């Protein structure tokens, strides 16, 4: 730095020197502030993990890993096992994915490959607005509009059509695993759609042109040249949707019926991990009940962190090779 | 020839299926908005915005306490969340190759998907449990944690769009690095960052799960941050699971107000980005 000092009067040189050291000090302070903020995020993640582990310790000590495989959940007797809610969480998320994935991938492919230009942005924006609707509003709508509709029209129809499967047998309740899965599907669809769209936009145009030049129809170009190129990113988008579905709380709590049991029928009420925490945390009477619910929160946290990390890794692999340099999801 | 026709038909059928998917995907949004308008709008009146809820069994009343509560809780969350998120975003844009920025970027992507209920349990354990009482502050802390990764990503993405020549020009004119970052880089990216931050605020304003056992909600107008406080999403939840028909009407009206706030914020934010981006590139 000294070499860039201008030659001049001694006082001027001193002034410049002072200004430069001031700038250096300013830079140091600035960098320290920024580094603190950047450190705060990983620190928060560790703090979350540490606090949850500490809160769950009594339950971990008493029930161990078997917690996840035990069926009883009896706060009065102090017996806790999370198996039914873990099954409920996985089941609702999987059924939601079965509904949402074909829809959202179809929309994403249509919007990036086939839709007329004037339609693309408005449709994408409209669907993304679905993501802005608060979960509790989905819950309200689900309870008063969706459930009556399902109970009186859709479920009886499904039972008569697919009743040979155990999944669609039994008494039709309003609040049920299937109702919760359907609301989840509506909620995660915009996430999968917008990430899939980003990934598909990152596929180089030359992929499509090459396929078309070889005589492929537009659909064959999608199937043989575009989707394979984007495959891991699309899987990432789906896993990201799975992460959302696993942790979704309010709407599921209001629609799933909240019963600590496992049933073969999708028409029966069930429970999810997030719904159990939302329902019982305020009413927990014993320290062990709190610890058990915190244990459930810890399991949910670890599962979603792993699922999200996997999704980000897959998306990052596609966008790294993308021409448009999109690296956000 | 025949085979070619089959292929073309297949292609068109697939495109048709995808168009149907678009319609099916857009339907829920229209359905939800229509229900909200049909069931909520009739209960909306001026009193709904300026009064407290009527005692159970009586009709009328409003959600003034919840509107004020949401403003205070979200305001406090933003005061904590925006500086940390923006600071971390600037760090990752300024030192993109450093190990810390790789870690921070990855962790904030992962945190973005953390269930909000888990963050609620965290806030309960570190704030509510030691204090032995529910508080708006605990709710704000939970919302701030949800907000930080969103603000961080927006700040970083938008700073990366600022042309490097601007930075070089400022440095060549003798600006210190910190001033270059603050008054040239951040200044240029500011409109977009404000937009992204508005989106983040819209999202946390609708969060219910983290407030359930932190802010808890109450029936009165409260300005005390260290006491339970009402919030719009909590009102929607409490009144919708209640047994009275009158409560359900109230829940629909509150949901309509909530969704108007959230949708207006997000739509305004999106339009603002598009226009301002045009301006920065000119």
């Amino acid at each position: 730095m000294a070499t860039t000092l201008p030659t001049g009067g001694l006082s001027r040189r001193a002034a410049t020197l002072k200004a430069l050291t001031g700038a250096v000090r300013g830079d140091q302070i600035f960098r320290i502030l920024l580094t603190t903020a950047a450190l705060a995020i990983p620190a928060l993640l560790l703090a979350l993990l540490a606090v949850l582990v500490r809160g769950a310790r009594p339950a971990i000590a008493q029930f161990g890993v078997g917690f996840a495989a035990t069926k009883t959940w009896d706060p009065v007797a102090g017996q806790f096992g999370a198996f039914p809610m873990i099954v409920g969480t996985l089941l609702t998320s999987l059924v939601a994915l079965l509904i949402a994935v074909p829809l959202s991938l179809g929309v994403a492919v249509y919007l990036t490959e086939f839709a007329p230009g004037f339609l693309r942005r408005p449709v994408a924006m409209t669907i993304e607005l679905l993501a802005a609707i608060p979960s509790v509003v989905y819950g309200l709508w689900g309870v008063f509009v969706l459930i009556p509709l399902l109970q009186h029209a859709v479920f009886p129809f499904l039972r008569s059509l697919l009743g040979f499967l155990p999944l669609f047998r039994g008494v039709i309740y309003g609040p049920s695993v299937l109702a919760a899965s359907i609301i989840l599907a509506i909620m995660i669809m915009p996430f999968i759609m917008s990430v899939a769209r980003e990934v598909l936009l990152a596929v180089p145009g030359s992929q499509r042109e090459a396929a078309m030049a070889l005589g492929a129809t537009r659909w064959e170009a999608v199937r043989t040249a575009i989707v394979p190129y984007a495959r891991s990113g699309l899987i990432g988008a789906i896993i990201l949707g799975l992460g959302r579905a696993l942790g979704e709380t309010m709407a599921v709590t209001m629609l799933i019926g909240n019963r600590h049991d496992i049933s073969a029928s999708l028409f029966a009420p069930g429970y999810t991990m997030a719904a159990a925490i939302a329902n019982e945390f305020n009413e927990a009477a014993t320290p062990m009940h709190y610890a058990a619910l915190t244990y459930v929160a810890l399991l949910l946290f670890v599962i979603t962190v792993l699922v999200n990390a996997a999704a980000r890794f897959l998306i990052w692999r596609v966008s790294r090779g993308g021409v448009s340099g999109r690296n956000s999801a | 020839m025949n085979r070619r026709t089959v292929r073309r038909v297949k292609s068109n059928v697939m495109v048709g299926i995808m168009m149907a998917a678009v319609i099916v995907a857009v339907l829920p949004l229209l359905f939800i908005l229509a229900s909200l308008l049909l069931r909520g709008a009739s209960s909306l009146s001026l009193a709904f915005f300026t009064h407290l809820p009527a005692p159970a069994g009586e009709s009328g009343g409003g959600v003034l306490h919840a509107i004020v509560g949401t403003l205070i809780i979200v305001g406090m969350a933003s005061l904590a969340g925006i500086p940390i998120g923006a600071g971390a975003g600037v760090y990752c844009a300024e030192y993109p190759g450093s190990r810390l920025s790789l870690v921070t970027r990855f962790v904030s992507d992962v945190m973005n998907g953390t269930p909000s209920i888990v963050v609620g349990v965290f806030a309960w354990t570190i704030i509510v449990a030691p204090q032995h009482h529910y508080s708006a502050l605990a709710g704000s802390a939970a919302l701030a944690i949800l907000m930080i990764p969103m603000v961080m990503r927006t700040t970083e993405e938008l700073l990366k769009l600022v042309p490097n020549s601007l930075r070089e020009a400022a440095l060549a004119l003798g600006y210190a690095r910190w001033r270059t970052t603050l008054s040239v880089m951040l200044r240029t990216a500011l409109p977009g960052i404000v937009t992204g931050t508005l989106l983040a605020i819209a999202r946390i304003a609708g969060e219910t799960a983290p407030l359930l056992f932190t802010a808890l909600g109450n029936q009165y107008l409260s300005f005390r941050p260290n006491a339970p406080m009402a919030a719009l999403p909590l009102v929607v939840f409490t009144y919708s699971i209640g047994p009275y028909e009158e409560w359900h009407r109230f829940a629909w009206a509150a949901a309509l107000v909530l969704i108007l706030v959230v949708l207006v914020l997000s739509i305004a934010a999106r339009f603002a980005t598009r226009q301002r981006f045009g301006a920065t590139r000119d």
Side-chain angles (χ1 to χ4, degrees), chain A residues 159-245:
Chain A
R159 189 167 58 177
S160 64
L161 189 74
L162 299 164
F164 56 92
L165 293 170
L167 288 176
F168 298 98
R169 259 185 227 155
V171 187
I172 291 175
Y173 300 87
S176 55
V177 171
L178 189 54
S181 307
I182 291 173
I183 205 86
L184 268 181
I186 299 176
M187 296 179 75
I188 62 173
M189 194 192 60
F191 285 101
I192 304 181
M193 197 276 306
S194 71
V195 179
R197 196 168 146 257
E198 295 268 337
V199 167
L200 288 171
L201 283 174
V203 175
S206 52
Q207 287 284 115
R208 181 187 321 110
E209 286 151 20
M212 304 276 266
L214 289 172
T217 61
R218 293 171 82 189
W219 166 248
E220 285 163 351
V222 167
R223 198 171 52 85
T224 58
I226 293 169
V227 169
Y229 188 93
R231 179 167 291 137
S232 72
L234 294 178
I235 295 173
I238 295 169
I239 300 179
L240 210 60
L242 174 66
R244 291 272 160 187

Side-chain angles (χ1 to χ4, degrees), chain A residues 134-141 250-251 254, chain B residues 206 208 233-234 236-237 240 258:
Chain A
S135 171
V136 70
V137 175
Y138 278 107
L140 177 75
W141 182 77
M250 296 317 295
M254 292 163 86
Chain B
T208 318
L234 286 173
V236 177
F237 180 60
S240 66
L258 179 62

Side-chain angles (χ1 to χ4, degrees), chain A residues 267-318:
Chain A
F267 296 144
Y271 225 162
T272 69
M273 299 162 87
I277 303 170
N279 269 324
E280 296 185 17
F281 208 82
N282 269 340
E283 279 130 42
T286 61
M288 187 52 88
H289 197 175
Y290 275 121
L293 287 169
T294 310
Y295 197 178
V296 173
L298 176 67
L299 289 178
L300 183 59
F301 181 59
V302 171
I303 295 173
T304 48
V305 163
L306 292 179
V307 165
N308 281 308
R312 292 296 169 183
F313 177 72
L314 287 168
I315 296 167
W316 170 77
R317 256 191 14 188
V318 172

Side-chain angles (χ1 to χ4, degrees), chain B residues 26-50:
Chain B
V26 176
L27 270 181
L29 181 70
L30 301 180
F31 202 166
I32 291 172
L33 292 182
S35 314
L36 279 167
L37 284 174
L38 282 177
R39 297 180 184 221
S42 58
S43 313
L44 282 189
S45 61
L46 190 62
F48 196 75
F49 296 94
T50 56

